[in-house]
Amino acid sequence: MTEEIVVGLEIHVELSTRSKLFCGCPARFGERPNALCCPICAGHPGTLPRLNRGALEAGLRLGLAFGGKAAPVLQFDRKNYFYPDLPKGYQITQRRMPVIHGGFLEIGTGEGTRKIHIHEAHIEEDAGKLSHDPARGLSLIDLNRAGVPLLEVVTEPELRSGEEAAAFARKLRDLAVWLGVSRGKMQEGNLRADVNVSLTRDGVPGERTEIKNVASFREIQRAVELESLRQHALYEAGEPVERVTLRYDGDRDRLSIMREKEEESGYRYSPEPDLPPVVLDPDWVEQLRAGLGTLPREREREYLAWGLEREWITVLLADRELSRLLDRTVSLGAGPREAAAWILVDAQAIARARGWKGSLPTPAETFAYLIRRVEEGQFTRAVARKLLEEVFEGEDPEETARRLGLKRIGREEIEAAVETVIREGGKALQDYRAGKEKAFTALMGRAMGILRGQGDPTAVREALRRALEK
Amino acid sequence: MTELKSRITAAIAAAEKKPWNAFRLVMGESALRQAEELEKREGPLPLRGIPVAVKDNIAVAGVEMSCGSRLLEGYVPPEDAEVITRLKQAGAVILGKTNLDEFAMGSYGLRSAFGPVRNPLDPLRCAGGSSSGSAAAVAGGIVPMALGSDTGGSVRIPAAWCGVIGFKPSWGAVSRRGLLAHASSLDAVGLLAGSAADCGRFFDAVAGFDPGDATSFDPEPKARGVSGLRIGIWREQLLLADTPAQKAVLEAARLLERAGARVLEISCPAVILAGETYVVLAAQEAVSCLARFDGLRFGRGGEPTPALRTRLMGAEVRGRLCLGSALLSMEELAPLRRGALCRRSEIRQELERAFREADLLLGPTTPGPAPLLERAGDAGEERKADALTVVANLAGLPALAFPLGEAENMPLSVHLMGRRGEDRTVLRAAMALEEGRGAR
Ligand SMILES: [Zn+2]
């Protein structure tokens, strides 16, 4: 018996536009409930949707970035269903003609990278949020999220494990963040997935189930793992797998059945007459494509060629600011590996120690300066590191170095220091002269002490050897 | 008291008697305040001081909008509809909200939760619906102009039976923002007026592109002259009418010919299926347009949705929603659904061909005059009342009901339909009819 897990994802990416999809309300997170709604997103009778071009642009950019094709015509449909958090009694979505067709993302698997194809992606509005207050016996509706634009990305069922599903979701999140079209904050629900799972046994495809509204990468992985085990157990027991909708409870790491036997016509679709079809100007789409800049997969190739560590590349591709900072530092003449180490290890450590939030405040020029000085042998790495702590928030490194006396240590100063060590003599010198090589370290330490640790160790070592051989 | 204020005071007094059950709500205080403000506004205003009645499915900020339904009773919209904003800018005074068939579903004017509207010309007859209160208010002389809405004939049918002018503009020529949707792809804000000239001024004040309605556009600014205009008498529509209504159509043709138009005969057989097509499409759209009235948000509400809807919705509305839901969700009904869409595009194509030969299509608005109330019990008959009018909604064309001819001592009406965007040509032809009728 061969058994294969088959997973397809429907991922809702919240697009980070200034306003909602069909009204002027700000699309923000964390406001007082119902502070961000108006007659349109509250569904008052007589109100009409007005398409936000920024949201369309954001959705298109993400779709084009994963290699999808833009539809020739933009048109919308209504998905009709009753739910208290859905103000109009229908959700405006795209059923007949999704704005994006096709595309793919590459994920790393045990056997190298694999292309996961995307079936389509469509723009739709989010619903509000329902919460329950059992103490007061109330259900409360918050419409701040109602009407926030989403791009729903639907993959082909080409994922083979929970790990792969999570990897795909992460890839998509990173791309959206890279492009600046989504904040990609999982804890704010910026990315939510419906996970479809089935088992193919001896080449025979089985019934598919859906786990709704999974909100983190880990949960996506666990949901697939648990559901494939559940289905496996059913097959082994000779019971049928029914087409059900499930929910994953992250706290208890458990699946529960939400709805039995879902039928497609449970959702009734109809065209949206309030938004007439609009021809998408191919020139405009081309402009958007051209404006995408370097994409993560191209960047990844370059970073590998630069010899960067795998973990570094993962971090860089998830954070376009960092990646830009690195590129700029390299373009100022720094070696890529040195630059990456300074930015991703040293600067990040300082940021962590200080509890710094947001992007690094240090400009590329500072990193380039530090690397140059170390390479020229003017600073030790330790000194440069000390200097970075002082100029982390963007201060002028040259001036700060001068102020702190971290000045250039020249050949004369090194030779003077070496001369002093030899003149002072002492036991270490005697030991060395007596052939004890180990004593060299002590002499070296003394010279570095005189130079207050700022001399280039290589230069000091060479100067000391020369002086001792005389 | 100034002339303007006394005119408004008189209109308020007349409306407050609630004749024919035409008004649901009279905005006396705010109308007087508007009149006072108007006196301070300088310069010419196209509708200065004209009292206008508003069908109670069009939003006026701060004024209850119940749409003829108990389900929506107590709902107060927060914003003016775009047409209300434009009317106020033009100097009109909003006098009150008029009664209508519940959720604008009905052709007789008998289906309001707040009681039927009577015909001002004969209280034993239907006023027609669903803009029944607006038509009665104009016919009864309380206001010279009133706003209605027209999804399948809801402005033109009551206009025909009350003997006034009813105009359904091209789909999109007047913003729908603030009109409670019944079936968005068919809905239009409609105008009722006592004269064609008034109707033209009314249209100029409210028509045109509104950035808040993505389906709106600017109609042709210029009308085609009547001289040389090709008027097509629509054979199939004529055959569906009674003899007096047929005569009225021929009379209209004669009047237009006298004004310089050329009359010819046109055949568009697909329109015979327009009624059925409309029922299928409108019911489906109504399901989603009315879905928000679940009792949770608008109106008084307060109990689980199905029970509330059953208790507070009239039979006609419930019937249409059931039909629409079945059409949307049952696989067995998919052919009906697809068939209706096909026929809609067939009808459009056929009309497009007709409009290559003629500039306007002429026919009867309704087969006969307003039915007697005692004969108005049959819902099947009621649904047939819009057989001649729905085609304009299906194709999004401008259409006007003009009172001409008589039967059973009641007015008859002829129907003029033009190309999409040529609203002003339709209105110009109505003015020619008015002049011709006066000269007779
Ligand atoms: Zn809003």
Side-chain angles (χ1 to χ4, degrees):
Chain A
M1 161 72 58
T2 63
E3 189 177 80
E4 196 177 26
I5 302 175
V6 180
V7 184
L9 292 175
E10 292 162 24
I11 303 184
H12 300 83
V13 182
E14 197 173 289
L15 301 172
S16 60
T17 50
R18 235 174 314 147
S19 48
K20 293 185 179 181
L21 185 51
F22 297 119
C23 66
C25 289
R28 276 201 306 266
F29 178 82
E31 298 277 334
R32 191 167 46 79
N34 297 310
L36 310 176
C37 65
C38 71
I40 296 177
C41 54
H44 273 260
T47 54
L48 296 172
R50 196 166 54 199
L51 181 67
N52 168 359
R53 209 174 160 83
L56 170 62
E57 200 177 302
L60 272 171
R61 289 183 63 221
L62 181 51
L64 294 172
F66 60 63
K69 264 215 214 104
V73 174
L74 185 73
Q75 61 180 16
F76 290 92
D77 299 282
R78 294 177 177 179
K79 182 174 178 179
N80 298 284
Y81 66 97
F82 282 103
Y83 206 67
D85 67 7
L86 190 67
K88 297 188 293 292
Y90 56 83
Q91 175 195 31
I92 304 179
T93 178
Q94 297 185 301
R95 165 84 164 171
R96 292 164 297 163
M97 194 184 280
V99 70
I100 293 289
H101 293 266
F104 66 89
L105 286 177
E106 281 173 342
I107 56 165
T109 68
E111 307 110 47
T113 60
R114 226 177 71 228
K115 268 186 188 178
I116 303 300
H117 291 90
I118 289 160
H119 182 67
E120 53 112 325
H122 56 264
I123 293 177
E124 62 185 25
E125 55 178 347
D126 208 342
K129 221 173 184 167
L130 200 60
S131 58
H132 305 282
D133 182 347
R136 287 191 289 166
L138 288 177
S139 290
L140 303 165
I141 304 171
D142 175 9
L143 294 181
N144 284 354
R145 209 181 61 186
V148 165
L150 302 174
L151 187 77
E152 180 174 338
V153 179
V154 182
T155 73
E156 298 290 354
E158 295 177 348
L159 297 155
R160 295 288 169 263
S161 67
E163 208 180 336
E164 287 191 16
F168 179 88
R170 194 173 276 125
K171 232 4 205 269
L172 182 63
R173 195 272 312 258
D174 290 351
L175 178 60
V177 172
W178 175 273
L179 295 168
V181 302
S182 177
R183 280 180 284 269
K185 295 217 168 110
M186 307 302 285
Q187 63 277 19
E188 295 180 11
N190 290 167
L191 206 98
R192 280 166 286 149
D194 295 339
V195 184
N196 291 290
V197 181
S198 64
L199 295 182
T200 296
R201 287 161 68 88
D202 281 340
V204 182
E207 185 61 90
R208 158 172 75 90
T209 61
E210 185 177 31
I211 306 136
K212 280 259 180 222
N213 231 351
V214 188
S216 78
F217 302 130
R218 212 197 70 83
E219 289 187 4
I220 290 173
Q221 178 167 349
R222 282 303 289 157
V224 173
E225 289 165 359
L226 290 175
E227 177 55 11
S228 52
L229 285 173
R230 191 186 72 90
Q231 291 185 10
H232 175 83
L234 284 173
Y235 284 120
E236 291 298 306
E239 285 174 38
V241 171
E242 307 255 15
R243 185 155 190 172
V244 293
T245 305
L246 302 113
R247 193 201 324 262
Y248 173 71
D249 178 348
D251 294 334
R252 292 190 292 169
D253 190 30
R254 250 176 50 184
L255 290 173
S256 57
I257 292 181
M258 257 167 86
R259 283 194 292 267
E260 304 278 349
K261 288 209 184 176
E262 185 104 40
E263 278 172 46
E264 180 67 3
S265 65
Y267 292 125
R268 302 164 307 172
Y269 290 91
S270 56
E272 169 53 275
D274 291 333
L275 292 163
V278 184
V279 174
L280 274 181
D281 177 5
D283 291 341
W284 181 61
V285 173
E286 236 6 86
Q287 265 173 32
L288 287 182
R289 196 198 311 274
L292 289 174
T294 321
L295 292 171
R297 62 171 179 274
E298 298 158 30
R299 218 79 213 84
E300 184 177 11
R301 237 169 276 141
E302 196 166 358
Y303 288 157
L304 283 170
W306 283 0
L308 301 191
E309 318 291 319
R310 261 270 163 219
E311 313 85 273
W312 289 358
I313 295 176
T314 308
V315 172
L316 286 165
L317 295 182
D319 189 334
R320 196 173 198 175
E321 296 258 328
L322 274 185
S323 152
R324 282 204 180 114
L325 183 62
L326 173 65
D327 295 351
R328 206 171 137 58
T329 307
V330 171
S331 78
L332 291 171
R337 278 183 58 84
E338 286 73 22
W342 276 102
I343 294 170
L344 297 174
V345 182
D346 297 281
Q348 295 290 16
I350 296 171
R352 256 194 311 280
R354 296 191 187 176
W356 186 268
K357 294 265 180 292
S359 49
L360 282 183
T362 329
E365 285 74 11
T366 298
F367 293 112
Y369 171 85
L370 296 176
I371 292 163
R372 197 166 57 241
R373 289 284 132 144
V374 172
E375 264 171 15
E376 289 168 0
Q378 294 182 8
F379 291 162
T380 59
R381 203 176 189 293
V383 167
R385 167 67 198 253
K386 205 155 102 198
L387 183 55
L388 178 60
E389 295 201 13
E390 300 297 327
V391 300
F392 177 70
E393 289 179 33
E395 296 86 346
D396 183 342
E398 185 103 55
E399 201 188 290
T400 311
R402 206 174 304 127
R403 183 166 53 75
L404 296 177
L406 304 175
K407 54 185 190 344
R408 177 195 155 94
I409 305 291
R411 173 179 274 271
E412 302 80 48
E413 277 168 90
I414 292 175
E415 277 169 3
V418 167
E419 214 169 283
T420 310
V421 171
I422 292 175
R423 197 174 54 235
E424 283 175 356
K427 186 164 183 302
L429 188 64
Q430 288 167 10
D431 285 352
Y432 183 78
R433 293 245 149 102
K436 287 188 180 161
E437 180 63 27
K438 267 189 185 165
F440 185 80
T441 315
L443 293 171
M444 180 73 191
R446 217 175 283 162
M448 288 302 280
I450 292 168
L451 294 166
R452 297 190 314 279
Q454 294 171 30
D456 174 26
T458 316
V460 176
R461 188 176 296 117
E462 280 170 10
L464 189 58
R465 289 244 188 253
R466 266 199 312 276
L468 289 170
E469 277 161 21
K470 265 190 217 159
Chain B
M1 207 188 291
T2 59
E3 191 268 328
L4 193 159
K5 260 182 106 175
S6 63
R7 193 194 321 161
I8 297 301
T9 312
I12 294 168
E16 264 170 358
K17 286 186 201 128
K18 307 267 172 92
W20 318 294
N21 201 17
F23 280 85
R24 163 81 181 125
L25 198 146
V26 181
M27 299 158 48
E29 235 172 83
S30 96
L32 279 177
R33 207 171 46 242
Q34 285 178 66
E36 273 161 23
E37 278 161 21
L38 263 179
E39 282 175 338
K40 288 180 220 139
R41 269 171 80 185
E42 305 211 340
L45 293 169
L47 302 180
R48 181 183 280 276
I50 294 183
V52 174
V54 178
K55 186 177 184 179
D56 198 22
N57 62 350
I58 295 171
V60 177
V63 178
E64 189 194 65
M65 174 166 84
S66 50
C67 208
S69 180
R70 293 260 174 235
L71 187 63
L72 208 51
E73 210 179 344
Y75 169 68
V76 177
E79 289 173 351
D80 276 339
E82 176 66 11
V83 279
I84 299 296
T85 308
R86 293 190 185 198
L87 282 176
K88 285 178 176 169
Q89 268 162 12
V93 174
I94 309 302
L95 187 70
K97 306 296 291 285
T98 59
N99 204 351
L100 69 155
D101 288 287
E102 184 174 8
F103 286 114
M105 294 180 183
S107 298
Y108 283 177
L110 305 176
R111 298 192 178 279
S112 168
F114 309 106
V117 176
R118 305 209 167 238
N119 193 317
L121 307 179
D122 179 352
L124 294 179
R125 288 182 188 261
C126 297
S130 64
S131 310
S132 33
S134 286
V138 174
I142 299 175
V143 287
M145 302 174 185
L147 284 174
S149 70
D150 191 313
T151 305
S154 278
V155 150
R156 290 161 288 158
I157 294 166
W161 289 349
C162 292
V164 299
I165 287 173
F167 182 46
K168 182 204 90 73
S170 301
W171 192 70
V174 175
S175 169
R176 287 183 292 120
R177 192 151 55 97
L179 166 69
L180 188 143
H182 162 185
S184 302
S185 82
L186 302 159
D187 288 342
V189 170
L191 313 177
L192 293 123
S195 75
D198 273 357
C199 198
R201 283 199 294 157
F202 200 4
F203 180 73
D204 287 342
V206 296
F209 175 68
D210 164 18
D213 176 354
T215 65
S216 69
F217 70 100
D218 286 316
E220 283 294 320
K222 278 218 171 104
R224 294 171 192 260
V226 175
S227 169
L229 206 64
R230 296 167 301 170
I231 309 288
I233 297 181
W234 191 340
R235 190 193 300 147
E236 288 80 9
Q237 290 231 320
L238 202 61
L239 293 176
L240 287 172
D242 303 336
T243 316
Q246 292 179 341
K247 276 191 184 148
V249 171
L250 298 177
E251 168 68 4
R254 227 177 349 261
L255 292 175
L256 289 169
E257 204 163 30
R258 210 179 299 153
R262 259 175 49 215
V263 175
L264 56 145
E265 200 175 286
I266 293 284
S267 170
C268 295
V271 301
I272 293 174
L273 298 168
E276 263 174 57
T277 307
Y278 170 81
V279 168
V280 171
L281 293 177
Q284 287 179 76
E285 280 196 42
V287 169
S288 82
C289 288
L290 266 54
R292 69 193 69 191
F293 305 117
D294 54 8
L296 275 178
R297 318 152 210 274
F298 310 115
R300 301 231 165 85
E303 49 185 307
T305 301
L308 189 82
R309 285 190 143 202
T310 309
R311 197 162 63 73
L312 294 184
M313 273 183 173
E316 177 68 16
V317 180
R318 267 184 288 140
R320 291 204 201 186
L321 293 183
C322 287
L323 171 65
S325 299
L327 281 165
L328 273 179
S329 44
M330 289 172 66
E331 218 19 68
E332 302 89 304
L333 298 182
L336 213 57
R337 215 156 55 210
R338 278 193 293 273
L341 283 175
C342 289
R343 279 204 304 278
R344 185 176 194 175
S345 68
E346 261 171 54
I347 288 168
R348 282 184 165 156
Q349 280 164 17
E350 205 168 82
L351 285 167
E352 222 164 86
R353 277 196 298 279
F355 277 115
R356 281 203 282 271
E357 291 169 49
D359 300 306
L360 288 180
L361 296 183
L362 174 67
T365 308
T366 54
L372 287 161
L373 288 174
E374 64 200 45
R375 281 195 233 140
D378 187 342
E381 276 301 306
E382 180 175 354
R383 271 183 217 131
K384 276 190 231 151
D386 56 19
L388 301 171
T389 49
V390 290
V391 65
N393 302 85
L394 288 170
L397 307 179
L400 184 140
F402 184 86
L404 193 71
E406 256 183 36
E408 305 167 34
N409 282 321
M410 290 297 286
L412 291 168
S413 172
V414 296
H415 194 244
L416 288 167
M417 199 162 83
R419 297 188 188 92
R420 179 142 189 254
E422 295 193 356
D423 300 62
R424 289 185 168 93
T425 300
V426 175
L427 287 160
R428 167 78 63 91
M431 286 178 220
L433 280 178
E434 200 163 71
E435 282 159 24
R437 188 182 55 183
R440 185 176 48 178

